Amino acid sequence: MSFSSEDFRQAVSQFATGVVVVTGNGSGTLIGFAAQSFVSLSLNPPLVLFCPQRSSTSWPRIRALESFGVNVLGAEHADISEEFAVVGSVPNIEWKPASGSGVPILEESIAFIDCTLKAEYSAGDHTIVVANVADVQVRRPDADPLLYLRGTYGKFLHTKTPVRE
């Protein structure tokens, strides 16, 4: 290998990602962790993918539940992301159970995806989780998402340049 792990970290930090919090309802107690490795995997069937660290203490507890949620954070929620990034800690944050599954929806989230586990794959120091999508809610359609780039948070800059199809 002709590059260091720090070289690799710096190279991949040039790619902006959104930030989500994966949540579970442990008998009325919020369980969750922040993730930036999240993607829509398939529209038909609807699937998402995220990658918790293998050292995560929250993912094993969430995995054991029948369902879990993915909460998309808004641009003003860097503090929420930071709180959920602390291993073994769950912030005191307002949430409500999703109708049906009871999965925690963070009050501040701009979108919510209700999921069930489809598959897991070991990959280096992370686990690749593929999840079936059971329900979705766009809670604040005009809100900007929280972005993460080069080790810091930011928000989307709207331009007038149309997307080419």
Side-chain angles (χ1 to χ4, degrees):
M1 182 167 66
S2 63
F3 57 89
S4 70
S5 60
E6 185 54 37
D7 293 336
F8 180 63
R9 179 187 302 266
Q10 184 159 355
V12 297
S13 77
Q14 304 307 303
F15 183 72
T17 65
V19 182
V20 300
V21 173
V22 177
T23 57
N25 186 343
S27 301
T29 301
L30 177 65
I31 306 167
F33 62 90
Q36 42 184 116
S37 297
F38 169 78
V39 66
S40 165
L41 183 59
S42 170
L43 292 176
N44 188 17
L47 300 171
V48 295
L49 178 152
F50 59 89
C51 301
Q53 292 182 357
R54 289 181 55 135
S55 62
S56 171
T57 58
S58 299
W59 173 240
R61 295 172 58 207
I62 293 171
R63 178 198 309 114
L65 304 171
E66 290 185 20
S67 56
F68 49 89
V70 176
N71 293 266
V72 179
L73 296 183
E76 68 278 15
H77 299 133
D79 58 331
I80 294 173
S81 174
E82 284 296 305
E83 289 185 53
F84 276 100
V86 177
V87 175
S89 173
V90 176
N92 183 13
I93 187 169
E94 290 189 37
W95 63 278
K96 66 179 182 181
S99 61
S101 70
V103 170
I105 302 173
L106 301 182
E107 288 292 334
E108 300 295 324
S109 66
I110 65 173
F112 172 76
I113 305 165
D114 202 331
C115 302
T116 58
L117 181 64
K118 179 173 178 66
E120 283 184 285
Y121 307 94
S122 180
D125 56 5
H126 282 68
T127 300
I128 299 169
V129 176
V130 178
N132 297 302
V133 176
D135 195 14
V136 297
Q137 293 180 24
V138 177
R139 306 184 71 233
R140 294 178 26 220
D142 295 327
D144 286 332
L146 179 62
L147 298 180
Y148 193 75
L149 174 71
R150 299 181 189 131
T152 190
Y153 296 101
K155 70 179 200 172
F156 186 73
L157 175 63
H158 296 271
T159 67
K160 302 225 183 239
T161 305
V163 176
R164 294 188 188 117
E165 293 188 27

